[in-house]
Amino acid sequence: MTLTKKQSGIYMDDSVLDDLVSTDGIIFDCDGVLIDITKSYNLAIDKTVQYVLENFFQIKDKIRIDSKIIDGFKSSGGFNDEVDLTYAAILSLTAAKKLDKDQHKFIFDVISNADSSGILSVEKYLESLVDISDIKNKLSYPGIRNNNPLYKIFDQIFYGSELYSKLFKQKSQFSENGLIDNDIVILNLQLIQKLKSKFGKNVAIVSGRGLESIRYSLESLLDEFDLKNSAFLEDEPRELAKPNPESLIRSINGMNSKYCIYVGDSMEDFIMAKKATEHGCKVIFCGIIGTSKNPQAKLELFQHNGAKLVLKSINLIPKMLNLE
């Protein structure tokens, strides 16, 4: 499917025009949508991989986990959780070392064999090539978040010592400021007010982040959302992680929305919205591409998979809905 460029940064299939008029609710992902995480979560992935490879496996000549690698894993639809992606990168690079393969080429071989089952698909592919049981045993991932070594290192790097101690009631081994401070908030009060002029109270969040993590960055803006009918999946059982549609369906039903827009930036978001539709909810997926390092590639990914609505930024939603 090729989307028509309606205005600068707005791409859509004409079939959604009438449907958009009928929508009565809007639900947002957070990372890459409400907040630009390029220098926060993405950098935490790389820093965690570097730390674990050096300190757990004595690998010092490792490649950086850049945006191309991150986007590659995420395009499979199975890596909404950044720590899952971190784990997959660590497995890939340690396996490359065992096989004496070029790390950069090998990690993209792994990505091409990944699918929406996420780390299971990566483990399966690597296990067909080399014994990785020692790596898996050392990391014991995913385990319990508060006790798992990989989760702990990632969370300490991302949250910083003060917020980590507050959230997890444990002391951090790192003293540096948390990378969460590098979050760039895209959302603003003016945008929320415009959305409420159409949707009333039916403006919610379904995100892989935890509630307090989002509150730290959005501050008082978070209170503008219908928090009762929002979902913060880091705080919920792992089996509810995207692309499981249960949390989105719960949010839609809680708002009593008959036709909802879900705004996300990843394949997991797209798949979740599609699954919610298959379960009887009427959902229009709106893909956001402007926070990607390669917006054109993200546009093509969404188009190729059948998305009918793509925007450069959430700030174009009022224009898309003729609210200004």
Side-chain angles (χ1 to χ4, degrees):
M1 177 183 293
T2 302
L3 303 181
T4 304
K5 185 177 180 179
K6 296 297 184 182
Q7 300 179 49
S8 178
I10 300 178
Y11 308 85
M12 67 171 68
D13 184 270
D14 286 340
S15 64
V16 301
L17 284 169
D18 290 338
D19 293 335
L20 285 172
V21 176
S22 303
T23 54
D24 60 358
I26 188 165
I27 300 172
F28 290 88
D29 177 33
C30 179
D31 297 330
V33 177
L34 304 177
I35 297 172
D36 184 339
I37 61 166
T38 309
K39 291 182 169 60
S40 55
Y41 263 123
N42 286 9
L43 189 54
I45 291 171
D46 179 57
K47 283 187 173 293
T48 304
V49 170
Q50 305 306 318
Y51 181 88
V52 170
L53 288 178
E54 188 162 334
N55 290 277
F56 283 53
F57 302 105
Q58 290 70 56
I59 298 174
K60 296 187 177 181
D61 57 331
K62 61 272 186 194
I63 61 170
R64 311 301 301 190
I65 306 303
D66 59 19
S67 60
K68 193 172 180 184
I69 292 172
I70 291 171
D71 287 347
F73 275 116
K74 284 184 173 288
S75 68
S76 72
F79 290 94
N80 185 68
D81 187 319
E82 280 79 7
V83 192
D84 279 7
L85 200 158
T86 303
Y87 174 68
I90 292 167
L91 284 184
S92 301
L93 297 185
T94 48
K97 196 73 174 173
K98 285 185 173 216
L99 293 163
D100 198 25
K101 299 279 190 181
D102 176 87
Q103 294 176 51
H104 197 267
K105 183 178 182 301
F106 186 75
I107 202 167
F108 281 101
D109 288 341
V110 176
I111 287 168
S112 67
N113 284 276
D115 59 33
S116 60
S117 66
I119 60 174
L120 294 178
S121 63
V122 169
E123 289 176 339
K124 182 180 178 182
Y125 175 66
L126 293 176
E127 285 167 344
S128 72
L129 302 174
V130 66
D131 182 8
I132 57 169
S133 58
D134 57 328
I135 309 163
K136 291 173 64 176
N137 289 338
K138 204 160 193 177
L139 296 177
S140 300
Y141 186 80
I144 300 170
R145 189 173 193 115
N146 282 17
N147 295 323
N148 178 265
L150 182 56
Y151 264 130
K152 288 174 77 170
I153 292 164
F154 186 95
D155 287 337
Q156 288 168 20
I157 289 172
F158 180 70
Y159 291 116
S161 58
E162 187 175 336
L163 185 56
Y164 179 80
S165 296
K166 178 184 176 183
L167 293 176
F168 297 98
K169 313 303 180 194
Q170 297 179 17
K171 186 177 180 182
S172 173
Q173 68 187 84
F174 304 106
S175 58
E176 296 87 353
N177 289 339
L179 293 175
I180 192 172
D181 290 334
N182 294 345
D183 272 352
I184 299 170
V185 176
I186 301 166
L187 181 69
N188 58 69
L189 187 58
Q190 184 182 19
L191 172 58
I192 293 177
Q193 288 171 339
K194 286 178 182 176
L195 294 175
K196 285 186 172 181
S197 71
K198 174 174 173 58
F199 300 114
K201 293 180 179 178
N202 284 357
V203 182
I205 294 172
V206 171
S207 168
R209 267 211 209 198
L211 174 61
E212 291 308 317
S213 174
I214 293 180
R215 186 176 295 282
Y216 183 87
S217 295
L218 291 187
E219 298 178 326
S220 62
L221 288 173
L222 182 60
D223 296 320
E224 298 296 327
F225 292 87
D226 179 356
L227 296 181
K228 180 183 175 184
N229 292 306
S230 293
F232 306 96
L233 299 173
E234 191 176 291
D235 304 331
E236 301 209 26
R238 183 178 172 83
E239 56 267 23
L240 292 179
K242 300 175 186 178
N244 186 330
E246 185 176 326
S247 56
L248 180 58
I249 293 168
R250 194 171 71 214
S251 178
I252 292 168
N253 290 340
M255 295 193 303
N256 198 29
S257 172
K258 305 303 181 190
Y259 210 153
C260 185
I261 300 171
Y262 183 68
V263 187
D265 74 317
S266 70
M267 280 304 299
E268 293 91 350
D269 294 326
F270 175 73
I271 294 168
M272 180 174 69
K274 193 174 179 181
K275 285 183 175 181
T277 300
E278 291 167 357
H279 280 76
C281 296
K282 294 182 77 172
V283 183
I284 297 174
F285 175 74
C286 174
I288 300 297
I289 60 174
T291 53
S292 171
K293 283 287 187 181
N294 191 336
Q296 182 61 33
K298 181 65 71 74
L299 172 62
E300 291 169 4
L301 176 68
F302 283 142
Q303 283 186 144
H304 176 72
N305 284 280
K308 295 183 177 181
L309 178 60
V310 175
L311 303 179
K312 183 177 180 183
S313 167
I314 56 171
N315 290 312
L316 291 168
I317 293 174
K319 192 170 286 188
M320 172 192 80
L321 294 171
N322 295 315
L323 300 179
E324 54 183 31

PDB file of all heavy atoms in Angstrom, residues 266-297:
ATOM      1  N   SER A 266       5.948   1.924  16.500  1.00  0.00           N
ATOM      2  CA  SER A 266       6.665   0.669  16.278  1.00  0.00           C
ATOM      3  C   SER A 266       5.756  -0.382  15.664  1.00  0.00           C
ATOM      4  O   SER A 266       4.521  -0.267  15.674  1.00  0.00           O
ATOM      5  CB  SER A 266       7.214   0.142  17.603  1.00  0.00           C
ATOM      6  OG  SER A 266       6.148  -0.304  18.438  1.00  0.00           O
ATOM      7  N   MET A 267       6.381  -1.463  15.157  1.00  0.00           N
ATOM      8  CA  MET A 267       5.607  -2.578  14.634  1.00  0.00           C
ATOM      9  C   MET A 267       4.803  -3.254  15.734  1.00  0.00           C
ATOM     10  O   MET A 267       3.700  -3.754  15.490  1.00  0.00           O
ATOM     11  CB  MET A 267       6.525  -3.581  13.949  1.00  0.00           C
ATOM     12  CG  MET A 267       6.929  -3.169  12.543  1.00  0.00           C
ATOM     13  SD  MET A 267       5.510  -2.864  11.450  1.00  0.00           S
ATOM     14  CE  MET A 267       4.719  -4.473  11.432  1.00  0.00           C
ATOM     15  N   GLU A 268       5.342  -3.289  16.966  1.00  0.00           N
ATOM     16  CA  GLU A 268       4.575  -3.867  18.076  1.00  0.00           C
ATOM     17  C   GLU A 268       3.269  -3.101  18.270  1.00  0.00           C
ATOM     18  O   GLU A 268       2.215  -3.697  18.508  1.00  0.00           O
ATOM     19  CB  GLU A 268       5.377  -3.818  19.380  1.00  0.00           C
ATOM     20  CG  GLU A 268       6.601  -4.702  19.397  1.00  0.00           C
ATOM     21  CD  GLU A 268       7.851  -3.983  18.907  1.00  0.00           C
ATOM     22  OE1 GLU A 268       7.734  -2.869  18.390  1.00  0.00           O
ATOM     23  OE2 GLU A 268       8.932  -4.564  19.040  1.00  0.00           O
ATOM     24  N   ASP A 269       3.343  -1.777  18.168  1.00  0.00           N
ATOM     25  CA  ASP A 269       2.149  -0.942  18.300  1.00  0.00           C
ATOM     26  C   ASP A 269       1.145  -1.247  17.189  1.00  0.00           C
ATOM     27  O   ASP A 269      -0.059  -1.368  17.425  1.00  0.00           O
ATOM     28  CB  ASP A 269       2.530   0.539  18.258  1.00  0.00           C
ATOM     29  CG  ASP A 269       3.376   0.973  19.441  1.00  0.00           C
ATOM     30  OD1 ASP A 269       3.173   0.442  20.543  1.00  0.00           O
ATOM     31  OD2 ASP A 269       4.244   1.843  19.261  1.00  0.00           O
ATOM     32  N   PHE A 270       1.666  -1.350  15.962  1.00  0.00           N
ATOM     33  CA  PHE A 270       0.812  -1.634  14.809  1.00  0.00           C
ATOM     34  C   PHE A 270       0.138  -2.999  14.957  1.00  0.00           C
ATOM     35  O   PHE A 270      -1.071  -3.143  14.749  1.00  0.00           O
ATOM     36  CB  PHE A 270       1.644  -1.583  13.525  1.00  0.00           C
ATOM     37  CG  PHE A 270       0.880  -1.972  12.287  1.00  0.00           C
ATOM     38  CD1 PHE A 270      -0.070  -1.128  11.745  1.00  0.00           C
ATOM     39  CD2 PHE A 270       1.099  -3.205  11.676  1.00  0.00           C
ATOM     40  CE1 PHE A 270      -0.787  -1.483  10.602  1.00  0.00           C
ATOM     41  CE2 PHE A 270       0.396  -3.571  10.545  1.00  0.00           C
ATOM     42  CZ  PHE A 270      -0.552  -2.713  10.003  1.00  0.00           C
ATOM     43  N   ILE A 271       0.923  -4.011  15.340  1.00  0.00           N
ATOM     44  CA  ILE A 271       0.381  -5.368  15.497  1.00  0.00           C
ATOM     45  C   ILE A 271      -0.661  -5.396  16.623  1.00  0.00           C
ATOM     46  O   ILE A 271      -1.707  -6.037  16.498  1.00  0.00           O
ATOM     47  CB  ILE A 271       1.518  -6.373  15.778  1.00  0.00           C
ATOM     48  CG1 ILE A 271       2.448  -6.491  14.561  1.00  0.00           C
ATOM     49  CG2 ILE A 271       0.949  -7.744  16.138  1.00  0.00           C
ATOM     50  CD1 ILE A 271       3.749  -7.233  14.853  1.00  0.00           C
ATOM     51  N   MET A 272      -0.376  -4.705  17.725  1.00  0.00           N
ATOM     52  CA  MET A 272      -1.319  -4.654  18.839  1.00  0.00           C
ATOM     53  C   MET A 272      -2.649  -4.040  18.402  1.00  0.00           C
ATOM     54  O   MET A 272      -3.725  -4.569  18.731  1.00  0.00           O
ATOM     55  CB  MET A 272      -0.727  -3.855  20.003  1.00  0.00           C
ATOM     56  CG  MET A 272      -1.654  -3.761  21.200  1.00  0.00           C
ATOM     57  SD  MET A 272      -0.906  -2.975  22.648  1.00  0.00           S
ATOM     58  CE  MET A 272      -0.751  -1.285  22.054  1.00  0.00           C
ATOM     59  N   ALA A 273      -2.592  -2.930  17.674  1.00  0.00           N
ATOM     60  CA  ALA A 273      -3.818  -2.276  17.204  1.00  0.00           C
ATOM     61  C   ALA A 273      -4.589  -3.190  16.252  1.00  0.00           C
ATOM     62  O   ALA A 273      -5.826  -3.280  16.305  1.00  0.00           O
ATOM     63  CB  ALA A 273      -3.464  -0.961  16.510  1.00  0.00           C
ATOM     64  N   LYS A 274      -3.850  -3.898  15.405  1.00  0.00           N
ATOM     65  CA  LYS A 274      -4.476  -4.828  14.456  1.00  0.00           C
ATOM     66  C   LYS A 274      -5.164  -5.972  15.197  1.00  0.00           C
ATOM     67  O   LYS A 274      -6.289  -6.357  14.864  1.00  0.00           O
ATOM     68  CB  LYS A 274      -3.399  -5.369  13.507  1.00  0.00           C
ATOM     69  CG  LYS A 274      -3.941  -6.096  12.295  1.00  0.00           C
ATOM     70  CD  LYS A 274      -2.797  -6.461  11.349  1.00  0.00           C
ATOM     71  CE  LYS A 274      -3.313  -7.219  10.140  1.00  0.00           C
ATOM     72  NZ  LYS A 274      -2.219  -7.608   9.230  1.00  0.00           N
ATOM     73  N   LYS A 275      -4.494  -6.509  16.226  1.00  0.00           N
ATOM     74  CA  LYS A 275      -5.071  -7.595  17.010  1.00  0.00           C
ATOM     75  C   LYS A 275      -6.312  -7.128  17.776  1.00  0.00           C
ATOM     76  O   LYS A 275      -7.284  -7.876  17.916  1.00  0.00           O
ATOM     77  CB  LYS A 275      -4.041  -8.153  17.991  1.00  0.00           C
ATOM     78  CG  LYS A 275      -2.970  -9.019  17.339  1.00  0.00           C
ATOM     79  CD  LYS A 275      -2.018  -9.595  18.389  1.00  0.00           C
ATOM     80  CE  LYS A 275      -1.036 -10.560  17.767  1.00  0.00           C
ATOM     81  NZ  LYS A 275      -0.121 -11.148  18.781  1.00  0.00           N
ATOM     82  N   ALA A 276      -6.279  -5.888  18.281  1.00  0.00           N
ATOM     83  CA  ALA A 276      -7.447  -5.346  18.991  1.00  0.00           C
ATOM     84  C   ALA A 276      -8.639  -5.258  18.038  1.00  0.00           C
ATOM     85  O   ALA A 276      -9.779  -5.558  18.423  1.00  0.00           O
ATOM     86  CB  ALA A 276      -7.120  -3.974  19.577  1.00  0.00           C
ATOM     87  N   THR A 277      -8.373  -4.875  16.791  1.00  0.00           N
ATOM     88  CA  THR A 277      -9.430  -4.817  15.781  1.00  0.00           C
ATOM     89  C   THR A 277      -9.992  -6.212  15.520  1.00  0.00           C
ATOM     90  O   THR A 277     -11.207  -6.398  15.406  1.00  0.00           O
ATOM     91  CB  THR A 277      -8.879  -4.212  14.472  1.00  0.00           C
ATOM     92  OG1 THR A 277      -8.399  -2.884  14.730  1.00  0.00           O
ATOM     93  CG2 THR A 277      -9.958  -4.137  13.401  1.00  0.00           C
ATOM     94  N   GLU A 278      -9.102  -7.202  15.448  1.00  0.00           N
ATOM     95  CA  GLU A 278      -9.535  -8.583  15.221  1.00  0.00           C
ATOM     96  C   GLU A 278     -10.395  -9.102  16.377  1.00  0.00           C
ATOM     97  O   GLU A 278     -11.209 -10.003  16.187  1.00  0.00           O
ATOM     98  CB  GLU A 278      -8.310  -9.484  15.030  1.00  0.00           C
ATOM     99  CG  GLU A 278      -7.571  -9.222  13.722  1.00  0.00           C
ATOM    100  CD  GLU A 278      -6.203  -9.890  13.669  1.00  0.00           C
ATOM    101  OE1 GLU A 278      -5.795 -10.522  14.682  1.00  0.00           O
ATOM    102  OE2 GLU A 278      -5.527  -9.766  12.629  1.00  0.00           O
ATOM    103  N   HIS A 279     -10.198  -8.507  17.571  1.00  0.00           N
ATOM    104  CA  HIS A 279     -10.989  -8.890  18.745  1.00  0.00           C
ATOM    105  C   HIS A 279     -12.292  -8.086  18.850  1.00  0.00           C
ATOM    106  O   HIS A 279     -12.989  -8.169  19.866  1.00  0.00           O
ATOM    107  CB  HIS A 279     -10.171  -8.700  20.024  1.00  0.00           C
ATOM    108  CG  HIS A 279      -9.208  -9.823  20.289  1.00  0.00           C
ATOM    109  ND1 HIS A 279      -8.030  -9.973  19.602  1.00  0.00           N
ATOM    110  CD2 HIS A 279      -9.262 -10.863  21.170  1.00  0.00           C
ATOM    111  CE1 HIS A 279      -7.390 -11.049  20.048  1.00  0.00           C
ATOM    112  NE2 HIS A 279      -8.118 -11.606  20.989  1.00  0.00           N
ATOM    113  N   GLY A 280     -12.598  -7.309  17.824  1.00  0.00           N
ATOM    114  CA  GLY A 280     -13.886  -6.620  17.787  1.00  0.00           C
ATOM    115  C   GLY A 280     -13.864  -5.137  18.108  1.00  0.00           C
ATOM    116  O   GLY A 280     -14.906  -4.474  18.048  1.00  0.00           O
ATOM    117  N   CYS A 281     -12.700  -4.592  18.473  1.00  0.00           N
ATOM    118  CA  CYS A 281     -12.593  -3.150  18.702  1.00  0.00           C
ATOM    119  C   CYS A 281     -12.328  -2.445  17.372  1.00  0.00           C
ATOM    120  O   CYS A 281     -11.582  -2.957  16.540  1.00  0.00           O
ATOM    121  CB  CYS A 281     -11.457  -2.839  19.670  1.00  0.00           C
ATOM    122  SG  CYS A 281     -11.688  -3.493  21.323  1.00  0.00           S
ATOM    123  N   LYS A 282     -12.911  -1.294  17.202  1.00  0.00           N
ATOM    124  CA  LYS A 282     -12.639  -0.521  15.980  1.00  0.00           C
ATOM    125  C   LYS A 282     -11.484   0.438  16.291  1.00  0.00           C
ATOM    126  O   LYS A 282     -11.627   1.351  17.110  1.00  0.00           O
ATOM    127  CB  LYS A 282     -13.890   0.239  15.544  1.00  0.00           C
ATOM    128  CG  LYS A 282     -15.024  -0.683  15.112  1.00  0.00           C
ATOM    129  CD  LYS A 282     -16.238   0.091  14.629  1.00  0.00           C
ATOM    130  CE  LYS A 282     -16.037   0.637  13.228  1.00  0.00           C
ATOM    131  NZ  LYS A 282     -17.280   1.234  12.681  1.00  0.00           N
ATOM    132  N   VAL A 283     -10.350   0.180  15.664  1.00  0.00           N
ATOM    133  CA  VAL A 283      -9.132   0.946  15.952  1.00  0.00           C
ATOM    134  C   VAL A 283      -8.473   1.387  14.649  1.00  0.00           C
ATOM    135  O   VAL A 283      -8.267   0.576  13.744  1.00  0.00           O
ATOM    136  CB  VAL A 283      -8.113   0.098  16.759  1.00  0.00           C
ATOM    137  CG1 VAL A 283      -6.892   0.946  17.113  1.00  0.00           C
ATOM    138  CG2 VAL A 283      -8.735  -0.479  18.010  1.00  0.00           C
ATOM    139  N   ILE A 284      -8.131   2.656  14.568  1.00  0.00           N
ATOM    140  CA  ILE A 284      -7.288   3.167  13.484  1.00  0.00           C
ATOM    141  C   ILE A 284      -5.892   3.340  14.047  1.00  0.00           C
ATOM    142  O   ILE A 284      -5.702   4.051  15.040  1.00  0.00           O
ATOM    143  CB  ILE A 284      -7.798   4.523  12.950  1.00  0.00           C
ATOM    144  CG1 ILE A 284      -9.189   4.382  12.340  1.00  0.00           C
ATOM    145  CG2 ILE A 284      -6.820   5.088  11.914  1.00  0.00           C
ATOM    146  CD1 ILE A 284      -9.803   5.722  11.927  1.00  0.00           C
ATOM    147  N   PHE A 285      -4.911   2.696  13.440  1.00  0.00           N
ATOM    148  CA  PHE A 285      -3.530   2.878  13.869  1.00  0.00           C
ATOM    149  C   PHE A 285      -2.952   4.109  13.175  1.00  0.00           C
ATOM    150  O   PHE A 285      -3.079   4.277  11.973  1.00  0.00           O
ATOM    151  CB  PHE A 285      -2.674   1.659  13.529  1.00  0.00           C
ATOM    152  CG  PHE A 285      -1.211   1.857  13.841  1.00  0.00           C
ATOM    153  CD1 PHE A 285      -0.762   1.833  15.151  1.00  0.00           C
ATOM    154  CD2 PHE A 285      -0.291   2.102  12.821  1.00  0.00           C
ATOM    155  CE1 PHE A 285       0.581   2.033  15.452  1.00  0.00           C
ATOM    156  CE2 PHE A 285       1.053   2.292  13.104  1.00  0.00           C
ATOM    157  CZ  PHE A 285       1.496   2.262  14.424  1.00  0.00           C
ATOM    158  N   CYS A 286      -2.294   4.944  13.976  1.00  0.00           N
ATOM    159  CA  CYS A 286      -1.616   6.131  13.457  1.00  0.00           C
ATOM    160  C   CYS A 286      -0.130   6.001  13.777  1.00  0.00           C
ATOM    161  O   CYS A 286       0.266   6.053  14.942  1.00  0.00           O
ATOM    162  CB  CYS A 286      -2.194   7.395  14.097  1.00  0.00           C
ATOM    163  SG  CYS A 286      -1.314   8.918  13.648  1.00  0.00           S
ATOM    164  N   GLY A 287       0.688   5.793  12.755  1.00  0.00           N
ATOM    165  CA  GLY A 287       2.117   5.602  12.953  1.00  0.00           C
ATOM    166  C   GLY A 287       2.874   6.919  13.000  1.00  0.00           C
ATOM    167  O   GLY A 287       2.621   7.812  12.198  1.00  0.00           O
ATOM    168  N   ILE A 288       3.800   7.042  13.937  1.00  0.00           N
ATOM    169  CA  ILE A 288       4.643   8.229  14.080  1.00  0.00           C
ATOM    170  C   ILE A 288       6.063   7.885  13.612  1.00  0.00           C
ATOM    171  O   ILE A 288       6.637   6.892  14.046  1.00  0.00           O
ATOM    172  CB  ILE A 288       4.678   8.713  15.543  1.00  0.00           C
ATOM    173  CG1 ILE A 288       3.267   9.077  16.016  1.00  0.00           C
ATOM    174  CG2 ILE A 288       5.622   9.916  15.696  1.00  0.00           C
ATOM    175  CD1 ILE A 288       2.602  10.221  15.279  1.00  0.00           C
ATOM    176  N   ILE A 289       6.618   8.716  12.740  1.00  0.00           N
ATOM    177  CA  ILE A 289       7.924   8.395  12.144  1.00  0.00           C
ATOM    178  C   ILE A 289       9.012   9.427  12.436  1.00  0.00           C
ATOM    179  O   ILE A 289      10.193   9.168  12.218  1.00  0.00           O
ATOM    180  CB  ILE A 289       7.809   8.225  10.610  1.00  0.00           C
ATOM    181  CG1 ILE A 289       7.295   9.524   9.944  1.00  0.00           C
ATOM    182  CG2 ILE A 289       6.886   7.052  10.280  1.00  0.00           C
ATOM    183  CD1 ILE A 289       7.300   9.467   8.424  1.00  0.00           C
ATOM    184  N   GLY A 290       8.639  10.585  12.959  1.00  0.00           N
ATOM    185  CA  GLY A 290       9.597  11.691  13.083  1.00  0.00           C
ATOM    186  C   GLY A 290      10.689  11.503  14.114  1.00  0.00           C
ATOM    187  O   GLY A 290      11.730  12.152  14.043  1.00  0.00           O
ATOM    188  N   THR A 291      10.472  10.605  15.080  1.00  0.00           N
ATOM    189  CA  THR A 291      11.512  10.372  16.097  1.00  0.00           C
ATOM    190  C   THR A 291      12.475   9.267  15.678  1.00  0.00           C
ATOM    191  O   THR A 291      13.421   8.969  16.393  1.00  0.00           O
ATOM    192  CB  THR A 291      10.876  10.002  17.453  1.00  0.00           C
ATOM    193  OG1 THR A 291       9.973   8.913  17.261  1.00  0.00           O
ATOM    194  CG2 THR A 291      10.128  11.189  18.041  1.00  0.00           C
ATOM    195  N   SER A 292      12.228   8.670  14.523  1.00  0.00           N
ATOM    196  CA  SER A 292      13.136   7.651  13.995  1.00  0.00           C
ATOM    197  C   SER A 292      14.348   8.321  13.352  1.00  0.00           C
ATOM    198  O   SER A 292      14.252   9.423  12.816  1.00  0.00           O
ATOM    199  CB  SER A 292      12.412   6.798  12.948  1.00  0.00           C
ATOM    200  OG  SER A 292      13.316   5.953  12.277  1.00  0.00           O
ATOM    201  N   LYS A 293      15.496   7.631  13.393  1.00  0.00           N
ATOM    202  CA  LYS A 293      16.695   8.146  12.717  1.00  0.00           C
ATOM    203  C   LYS A 293      16.523   8.130  11.210  1.00  0.00           C
ATOM    204  O   LYS A 293      17.195   8.863  10.492  1.00  0.00           O
ATOM    205  CB  LYS A 293      17.927   7.311  13.122  1.00  0.00           C
ATOM    206  CG  LYS A 293      18.469   7.629  14.499  1.00  0.00           C
ATOM    207  CD  LYS A 293      19.180   8.958  14.512  1.00  0.00           C
ATOM    208  CE  LYS A 293      19.867   9.215  15.847  1.00  0.00           C
ATOM    209  NZ  LYS A 293      20.546  10.510  15.890  1.00  0.00           N
ATOM    210  N   ASN A 294      15.612   7.271  10.735  1.00  0.00           N
ATOM    211  CA  ASN A 294      15.346   7.176   9.297  1.00  0.00           C
ATOM    212  C   ASN A 294      13.838   7.179   9.076  1.00  0.00           C
ATOM    213  O   ASN A 294      13.227   6.129   8.887  1.00  0.00           O
ATOM    214  CB  ASN A 294      15.980   5.902   8.726  1.00  0.00           C
ATOM    215  CG  ASN A 294      15.963   5.879   7.206  1.00  0.00           C
ATOM    216  OD1 ASN A 294      15.135   6.536   6.567  1.00  0.00           O
ATOM    217  ND2 ASN A 294      16.872   5.126   6.613  1.00  0.00           N
ATOM    218  N   PRO A 295      13.223   8.371   9.089  1.00  0.00           N
ATOM    219  CA  PRO A 295      11.758   8.452   8.959  1.00  0.00           C
ATOM    220  C   PRO A 295      11.223   7.835   7.665  1.00  0.00           C
ATOM    221  O   PRO A 295      10.152   7.230   7.671  1.00  0.00           O
ATOM    222  CB  PRO A 295      11.490   9.966   8.996  1.00  0.00           C
ATOM    223  CG  PRO A 295      12.655  10.532   9.741  1.00  0.00           C
ATOM    224  CD  PRO A 295      13.818   9.699   9.346  1.00  0.00           C
ATOM    225  N   GLN A 296      11.965   7.955   6.580  1.00  0.00           N
ATOM    226  CA  GLN A 296      11.507   7.403   5.309  1.00  0.00           C
ATOM    227  C   GLN A 296      11.419   5.881   5.377  1.00  0.00           C
ATOM    228  O   GLN A 296      10.452   5.276   4.905  1.00  0.00           O
ATOM    229  CB  GLN A 296      12.442   7.832   4.175  1.00  0.00           C
ATOM    230  CG  GLN A 296      12.013   7.351   2.782  1.00  0.00           C
ATOM    231  CD  GLN A 296      10.657   7.872   2.348  1.00  0.00           C
ATOM    232  OE1 GLN A 296      10.269   8.985   2.700  1.00  0.00           O
ATOM    233  NE2 GLN A 296       9.913   7.067   1.586  1.00  0.00           N
ATOM    234  N   ALA A 297      12.419   5.259   5.992  1.00  0.00           N
ATOM    235  CA  ALA A 297      12.397   3.801   6.145  1.00  0.00           C
ATOM    236  C   ALA A 297      11.241   3.365   7.036  1.00  0.00           C
ATOM    237  O   ALA A 297      10.591   2.346   6.779  1.00  0.00           O
ATOM    238  CB  ALA A 297      13.728   3.311   6.725  1.00  0.00           C
TER     239      ALA A 297
END
